[in-house]
Amino acid sequence: MKYLKLLILITTLLLVNESYIISNYNSTDKYERIVYNKKIVREKYFVAPKYKLATCAVHKSFSTMLTSILCYLDMENVFLKKFDHLAEFTFQYKTCVDKKNNCLRSFGDLIKIHGKGNKVNFLKTWKVIMVVRNPIERFISGFVQLCYKSKRRYQAKFCLGCRGNFKCFVNKLYNIFTYGYYSIINTYTLTKTFFYPQTMQCNYFKNKRKFVVLKYDLKNLDSFYKSLEEILIQQNVPSEKVEYIDEELRTYRTLDSVNRKAKTDEFIQKFYREKGVLKKLIEIYYSDFKEFDFEMPNI
């Protein structure tokens, strides 16, 4: 009887704790009606028209590599004269990034320019990929690249004046969402691009049914690569190109990711000790966890 009472008590506590998490970690839901009806973060689409492929770039969610793939497919000969590997591409490669009708600012522009205004046909024939990843992993990747032991132009601005202090940064980011709608929309553009929830990128809730959403999971990259490969095959990308892309993805990493590995490992050791910071990030990114079914970290 004593053990039965203990079991009931433990079960009750677990249910209460789960209820607390669900009811409290929802700061990005608080302003859902007004925030998600607006374009909070600038959209940026890249295309490979020959294969009716496009992506909405979500920074720190495989955006560099996916844009590289589309640039390669769109202008293979020019691309391979510049780069030996897909992983060498950066968004500074203006020949592709600034090519006319290649970088578009809305889904409507995609349909207007590449679908000749025929929305129904465009949605039937094109695949527009949006890649998402675990929001905590995405935060770590972005913060290590832009803020942690980094000396970048405008760093103070897009790191919210905190530079490499992640506790300071998370507190300020949390306050942005706590203060409300005008605080959310008036934050520095790069901060929104790299650190706002993925549900605020790509005008997501307006466009979600038009996207093919892929989950980039570092623990299951094989599944991710196969899903991407299937899309390329569906869009009639020649088999030799699909094989080349697959080999490149599995063999090479972007220079940034290679150079940041030691810094990332060091940062993670400090980061996961700060449970208060982690709680605030779960609240900030609650909509991502909920929408894309990512597992919340244990705290």
Side-chain angles (χ1 to χ4, degrees), residues 4-55:
L4 179 59
K5 288 181 179 179
L6 181 60
L7 180 60
I8 292 170
L9 177 61
I10 291 171
T11 304
T12 303
L13 288 172
L14 287 172
L15 289 172
V16 169
N17 185 54
E18 183 179 359
S19 174
Y20 173 83
I21 289 172
I22 291 171
S23 63
N24 284 279
Y25 292 158
N26 62 355
S27 70
T28 47
D29 281 2
K30 288 178 184 176
Y31 307 101
E32 183 171 350
R33 289 184 181 178
I34 49 177
V35 167
Y36 290 130
N37 287 331
K38 303 285 185 181
K39 188 185 293 189
I40 302 298
V41 184
R42 292 176 185 171
E43 295 168 79
K44 191 177 286 187
Y45 295 89
F46 296 97
V47 298
K50 182 177 179 180
Y51 302 107
K52 294 182 169 58
L53 279 166
T55 184

Coordinates of all heavy atoms in Angstrom, one line a residue, residues 4-55:
L4 N 2.2 1.8 -3.4 CA 1.2 2.3 -4.3 C 1.0 3.8 -4.1 O 0.8 4.5 -5.1 CB -0.1 1.5 -4.0 CG -1.3 1.9 -4.9 CD1 -1.0 1.7 -6.4 CD2 -2.6 1.1 -4.5
K5 N 0.9 4.2 -2.9 CA 0.8 5.7 -2.6 C 1.9 6.5 -3.2 O 1.8 7.5 -3.8 CB 0.7 5.9 -1.1 CG -0.7 5.5 -0.5 CD -0.7 5.8 1.0 CE -2.0 5.4 1.6 NZ -2.0 5.6 3.1
L6 N 3.1 5.9 -3.1 CA 4.3 6.6 -3.6 C 4.3 6.7 -5.1 O 4.6 7.7 -5.7 CB 5.6 5.8 -3.2 CG 6.9 6.4 -3.6 CD1 7.1 7.8 -3.1 CD2 8.1 5.5 -3.2
L7 N 3.8 5.6 -5.7 CA 3.7 5.6 -7.2 C 2.7 6.6 -7.7 O 2.9 7.3 -8.6 CB 3.3 4.2 -7.7 CG 3.1 4.0 -9.2 CD1 4.4 4.3 -9.9 CD2 2.6 2.6 -9.5
I8 N 1.6 6.7 -7.0 CA 0.5 7.7 -7.3 C 1.1 9.1 -7.2 O 0.9 10.0 -8.0 CB -0.7 7.5 -6.4 CG1 -1.4 6.2 -6.8 CG2 -1.7 8.7 -6.6 CD1 -2.5 5.8 -5.8
L9 N 1.8 9.3 -6.1 CA 2.4 10.7 -5.8 C 3.4 11.1 -7.0 O 3.4 12.2 -7.5 CB 3.1 10.7 -4.5 CG 3.9 12.0 -4.1 CD1 2.9 13.1 -4.0 CD2 4.6 11.8 -2.8
I10 N 4.3 10.1 -7.3 CA 5.2 10.4 -8.4 C 4.5 10.7 -9.7 O 4.9 11.6 -10.4 CB 6.2 9.2 -8.6 CG1 7.1 9.1 -7.3 CG2 7.1 9.3 -9.8 CD1 7.9 7.8 -7.3
T11 N 3.5 9.9 -10.0 CA 2.8 10.1 -11.3 C 2.1 11.5 -11.3 O 2.1 12.2 -12.3 CB 1.7 9.0 -11.4 OG1 2.3 7.7 -11.4 CG2 0.9 9.2 -12.8
T12 N 1.5 11.8 -10.2 CA 0.9 13.2 -10.0 C 1.9 14.3 -10.3 O 1.6 15.3 -11.0 CB 0.2 13.3 -8.7 OG1 -0.7 12.3 -8.5 CG2 -0.5 14.7 -8.6
L13 N 3.1 14.2 -9.7 CA 4.1 15.2 -9.8 C 4.6 15.3 -11.2 O 4.8 16.4 -11.7 CB 5.3 14.9 -8.9 CG 5.1 15.1 -7.4 CD1 6.3 14.5 -6.6 CD2 4.8 16.5 -7.1
L14 N 4.7 14.2 -11.9 CA 5.1 14.2 -13.3 C 4.1 14.9 -14.2 O 4.4 15.7 -15.1 CB 5.3 12.8 -13.8 CG 6.6 12.1 -13.3 CD1 6.6 10.6 -13.8 CD2 7.9 12.8 -13.8
L15 N 2.8 14.6 -13.9 CA 1.7 15.3 -14.7 C 1.7 16.8 -14.5 O 1.5 17.6 -15.4 CB 0.4 14.6 -14.4 CG 0.2 13.2 -14.9 CD1 -1.1 12.6 -14.3 CD2 0.1 13.2 -16.4
V16 N 1.9 17.1 -13.2 CA 1.9 18.6 -12.9 C 3.1 19.3 -13.5 O 2.9 20.4 -14.1 CB 2.0 18.8 -11.3 CG1 2.2 20.2 -11.0 CG2 0.7 18.3 -10.7
N17 N 4.2 18.6 -13.5 CA 5.4 19.2 -14.2 C 5.2 19.4 -15.7 O 5.6 20.4 -16.2 CB 6.6 18.3 -13.9 CG 7.9 18.9 -14.4 OD1 8.2 20.0 -14.1 ND2 8.6 18.1 -15.2
E18 N 4.6 18.3 -16.3 CA 4.4 18.4 -17.8 C 3.4 19.5 -18.1 O 3.6 20.3 -19.0 CB 3.8 17.1 -18.3 CG 3.6 17.1 -19.8 CD 3.1 15.7 -20.3 OE1 2.9 14.8 -19.4 OE2 2.8 15.6 -21.5
S19 N 2.4 19.7 -17.2 CA 1.4 20.7 -17.4 C 2.0 22.1 -17.3 O 1.7 23.0 -18.0 CB 0.3 20.6 -16.4 OG -0.6 21.6 -16.4
Y20 N 3.0 22.2 -16.3 CA 3.7 23.5 -16.1 C 4.5 23.8 -17.3 O 4.5 25.0 -17.8 CB 4.6 23.3 -14.9 CG 5.5 24.5 -14.7 CD1 5.0 25.7 -14.1 CD2 6.8 24.5 -15.2 CE1 5.9 26.8 -13.9 CE2 7.6 25.6 -15.1 CZ 7.2 26.8 -14.4 OH 8.0 27.8 -14.3
I21 N 5.2 22.8 -17.9 CA 6.0 23.1 -19.1 C 5.1 23.6 -20.2 O 5.4 24.6 -20.9 CB 6.8 21.8 -19.5 CG1 7.9 21.5 -18.5 CG2 7.4 22.0 -20.9 CD1 8.6 20.2 -18.7
I22 N 4.0 22.9 -20.5 CA 3.2 23.2 -21.6 C 2.6 24.6 -21.4 O 2.4 25.4 -22.4 CB 2.1 22.1 -21.8 CG1 2.7 20.8 -22.2 CG2 1.0 22.6 -22.8 CD1 1.8 19.6 -22.2
S23 N 2.2 24.9 -20.2 CA 1.5 26.2 -20.0 C 2.4 27.4 -19.9 O 2.0 28.5 -20.1 CB 0.7 26.1 -18.7 OG 1.5 25.9 -17.6
N24 N 3.7 27.1 -19.6 CA 4.6 28.2 -19.4 C 5.6 28.4 -20.6 O 6.0 29.5 -20.8 CB 5.4 28.0 -18.1 CG 4.6 28.3 -16.9 OD1 4.5 29.5 -16.5 ND2 4.0 27.3 -16.3
Y25 N 6.0 27.4 -21.2 CA 6.9 27.5 -22.3 C 6.2 27.8 -23.6 O 6.1 27.0 -24.5 CB 7.7 26.2 -22.5 CG 8.7 25.9 -21.3 CD1 9.1 24.7 -21.1 CD2 9.1 27.0 -20.5 CE1 10.0 24.4 -20.1 CE2 9.9 26.7 -19.5 CZ 10.4 25.4 -19.2 OH 11.2 25.2 -18.2
N26 N 5.6 29.0 -23.7 CA 4.8 29.3 -24.9 C 4.9 30.8 -25.2 O 3.9 31.4 -25.7 CB 3.4 28.9 -24.7 CG 2.7 29.6 -23.5 OD1 3.3 30.4 -22.8 ND2 1.4 29.4 -23.3
S27 N 6.1 31.4 -25.0 CA 6.1 32.9 -25.2 C 5.9 33.3 -26.6 O 5.4 34.3 -26.9 CB 7.5 33.4 -24.7 OG 8.5 33.0 -25.5
T28 N 6.3 32.4 -27.6 CA 6.1 32.7 -29.0 C 4.7 32.5 -29.4 O 4.3 32.8 -30.5 CB 7.1 31.9 -29.9 OG1 7.1 30.6 -29.5 CG2 8.5 32.5 -29.8
D29 N 3.9 31.8 -28.5 CA 2.4 31.7 -28.8 C 1.6 32.9 -28.3 O 0.5 33.1 -28.7 CB 1.9 30.4 -28.1 CG 2.3 29.2 -28.9 OD1 2.9 29.3 -29.9 OD2 1.9 28.1 -28.5
K30 N 2.2 33.6 -27.3 CA 1.4 34.7 -26.7 C 0.9 35.7 -27.7 O -0.2 36.3 -27.5 CB 2.3 35.4 -25.7 CG 2.6 34.6 -24.4 CD 3.5 35.4 -23.5 CE 3.9 34.5 -22.2 NZ 4.8 35.2 -21.4
Y31 N 1.7 36.0 -28.7 CA 1.3 37.0 -29.7 C 1.0 36.4 -31.0 O 1.1 37.0 -32.1 CB 2.5 38.0 -29.8 CG 2.9 38.5 -28.5 CD1 4.1 38.1 -27.9 CD2 2.2 39.5 -27.9 CE1 4.5 38.5 -26.7 CE2 2.6 40.0 -26.6 CZ 3.7 39.5 -26.0 OH 4.1 40.0 -24.8
E32 N 0.5 35.1 -31.0 CA 0.3 34.4 -32.2 C -0.6 35.1 -33.2 O -0.3 35.2 -34.4 CB -0.3 33.0 -31.9 CG -0.4 32.1 -33.1 CD -0.8 30.7 -32.8 OE1 -0.7 30.3 -31.6 OE2 -1.1 29.9 -33.7
R33 N -1.7 35.6 -32.7 CA -2.7 36.2 -33.7 C -2.1 37.4 -34.4 O -2.4 37.6 -35.6 CB -3.9 36.7 -32.9 CG -4.8 35.5 -32.4 CD -6.0 36.0 -31.7 NE -6.8 34.9 -31.2 CZ -8.0 35.1 -30.6 NH1 -8.4 36.3 -30.3 NH2 -8.6 34.0 -30.1
I34 N -1.3 38.2 -33.8 CA -0.7 39.4 -34.4 C 0.6 39.1 -35.1 O 0.9 39.6 -36.2 CB -0.7 40.6 -33.5 CG1 0.0 40.2 -32.2 CG2 -2.0 41.2 -33.3 CD1 0.2 41.4 -31.3
V35 N 1.5 38.3 -34.4 CA 2.8 38.1 -34.9 C 2.8 37.2 -36.1 O 3.4 37.5 -37.1 CB 3.7 37.4 -33.8 CG1 5.0 36.9 -34.4 CG2 4.0 38.4 -32.7
Y36 N 2.1 36.1 -36.1 CA 2.1 35.2 -37.2 C 1.3 35.6 -38.4 O 1.3 34.9 -39.5 CB 1.7 33.8 -36.8 CG 2.8 33.2 -35.8 CD1 2.4 32.6 -34.6 CD2 4.1 33.2 -36.2 CE1 3.4 32.1 -33.8 CE2 5.1 32.6 -35.3 CZ 4.7 32.1 -34.1 OH 5.6 31.6 -33.3
N37 N 0.6 36.7 -38.3 CA -0.1 37.2 -39.5 C 0.7 38.3 -40.2 O 0.3 38.9 -41.1 CB -1.5 37.9 -39.1 CG -2.5 36.8 -38.7 OD1 -2.4 35.7 -39.3 ND2 -3.4 37.1 -37.8
K38 N 1.9 38.5 -39.6 CA 2.8 39.5 -40.2 C 4.1 38.8 -40.6 O 4.5 37.8 -40.2 CB 3.2 40.6 -39.1 CG 2.0 41.3 -38.5 CD 1.4 42.3 -39.5 CE 0.3 43.1 -38.8 NZ -0.3 44.1 -39.7
K39 N 4.8 39.5 -41.6 CA 6.1 39.0 -42.0 C 7.2 39.6 -41.0 O 7.6 40.7 -41.2 CB 6.4 39.4 -43.4 CG 7.7 38.7 -44.0 CD 8.0 39.2 -45.4 CE 7.0 38.8 -46.4 NZ 7.4 39.1 -47.8
I40 N 7.6 38.8 -40.0 CA 8.5 39.3 -39.0 C 9.9 39.2 -39.5 O 10.7 40.1 -39.3 CB 8.4 38.4 -37.7 CG1 6.9 38.4 -37.2 CG2 9.3 38.9 -36.7 CD1 6.4 39.8 -36.8
V41 N 10.3 38.2 -40.2 CA 11.6 38.0 -40.7 C 11.6 38.0 -42.3 O 10.7 37.4 -42.8 CB 12.3 36.7 -40.2 CG1 13.7 36.5 -40.7 CG2 12.2 36.6 -38.7
R42 N 12.5 38.6 -42.9 CA 12.5 38.7 -44.3 C 12.6 37.3 -45.0 O 13.5 36.5 -44.5 CB 13.7 39.5 -44.8 CG 13.6 41.0 -44.5 CD 14.9 41.7 -45.0 NE 14.9 43.1 -44.6 CZ 15.9 43.9 -44.7 NH1 17.1 43.4 -45.2 NH2 15.9 45.2 -44.3
E43 N 11.8 37.0 -46.0 CA 11.9 35.8 -46.7 C 13.0 35.9 -47.7 O 13.3 37.0 -48.3 CB 10.6 35.5 -47.4 CG 9.4 35.2 -46.5 CD 8.1 35.2 -47.3 OE1 7.8 34.2 -47.9 OE2 7.4 36.2 -47.2
K44 N 13.7 34.8 -48.0 CA 14.7 34.7 -49.0 C 14.7 33.4 -49.7 O 15.0 32.3 -49.1 CB 16.1 35.0 -48.4 CG 17.2 35.2 -49.4 CD 18.5 35.5 -48.7 CE 18.5 36.9 -48.1 NZ 19.9 37.3 -47.6
Y45 N 14.3 33.3 -51.0 CA 14.2 32.1 -51.7 C 15.3 32.0 -52.8 O 15.5 33.0 -53.5 CB 12.8 32.0 -52.4 CG 11.6 32.0 -51.5 CD1 11.0 33.1 -51.0 CD2 11.1 30.7 -51.0 CE1 10.0 33.1 -50.1 CE2 10.1 30.7 -50.1 CZ 9.5 31.8 -49.7 OH 8.5 31.8 -48.8
F46 N 15.8 30.8 -52.9 CA 16.8 30.6 -54.0 C 16.2 29.4 -54.9 O 15.5 28.6 -54.4 CB 18.2 30.2 -53.4 CG 18.8 31.3 -52.7 CD1 18.7 31.4 -51.3 CD2 19.5 32.3 -53.3 CE1 19.2 32.4 -50.6 CE2 20.0 33.4 -52.6 CZ 19.9 33.4 -51.2
V47 N 16.6 29.5 -56.2 CA 15.9 28.6 -57.1 C 16.9 27.9 -58.0 O 18.0 28.3 -58.3 CB 14.9 29.3 -58.0 CG1 13.8 30.0 -57.1 CG2 15.6 30.4 -58.8
A48 N 16.4 26.7 -58.6 CA 17.1 26.0 -59.7 C 15.9 25.8 -60.7 O 15.3 24.7 -60.7 CB 17.7 24.7 -59.3
P49 N 15.6 26.7 -61.5 CA 14.4 26.7 -62.3 C 14.3 25.5 -63.3 O 13.2 25.0 -63.5 CB 14.4 28.0 -63.1 CG 15.3 28.9 -62.4 CD 16.3 28.0 -61.7
K50 N 15.4 25.0 -63.8 CA 15.4 23.9 -64.7 C 14.8 22.7 -64.1 O 14.1 21.9 -64.8 CB 16.9 23.6 -65.1 CG 17.0 22.4 -66.1 CD 18.4 22.2 -66.5 CE 18.6 21.1 -67.5 NZ 20.0 20.8 -67.9
Y51 N 15.0 22.5 -62.8 CA 14.4 21.3 -62.1 C 13.2 21.7 -61.2 O 12.8 20.9 -60.4 CB 15.5 20.7 -61.3 CG 16.7 20.2 -62.1 CD1 17.9 20.9 -62.1 CD2 16.6 19.2 -63.0 CE1 19.0 20.6 -62.9 CE2 17.6 18.8 -63.8 CZ 18.8 19.5 -63.8 OH 19.9 19.1 -64.6
K52 N 12.8 22.9 -61.3 CA 11.6 23.4 -60.5 C 11.8 23.1 -59.0 O 11.0 22.6 -58.3 CB 10.3 22.7 -61.0 CG 9.9 23.1 -62.5 CD 8.6 22.5 -62.9 CE 8.1 23.1 -64.2 NZ 9.0 23.0 -65.3
L53 N 13.0 23.6 -58.6 CA 13.4 23.4 -57.2 C 13.6 24.8 -56.6 O 14.2 25.7 -57.2 CB 14.6 22.6 -57.0 CG 14.5 21.1 -57.1 CD1 15.9 20.4 -57.3 CD2 13.8 20.6 -55.8
A54 N 13.2 25.0 -55.3 CA 13.5 26.2 -54.6 C 13.7 25.9 -53.1 O 13.3 24.8 -52.7 CB 12.4 27.2 -54.8
T55 N 14.3 26.8 -52.4 CA 14.3 26.7 -51.0 C 14.1 28.1 -50.4 O 14.5 29.1 -50.9 CB 15.7 26.2 -50.5 OG1 15.7 26.0 -49.1 CG2 16.9 27.1 -50.9

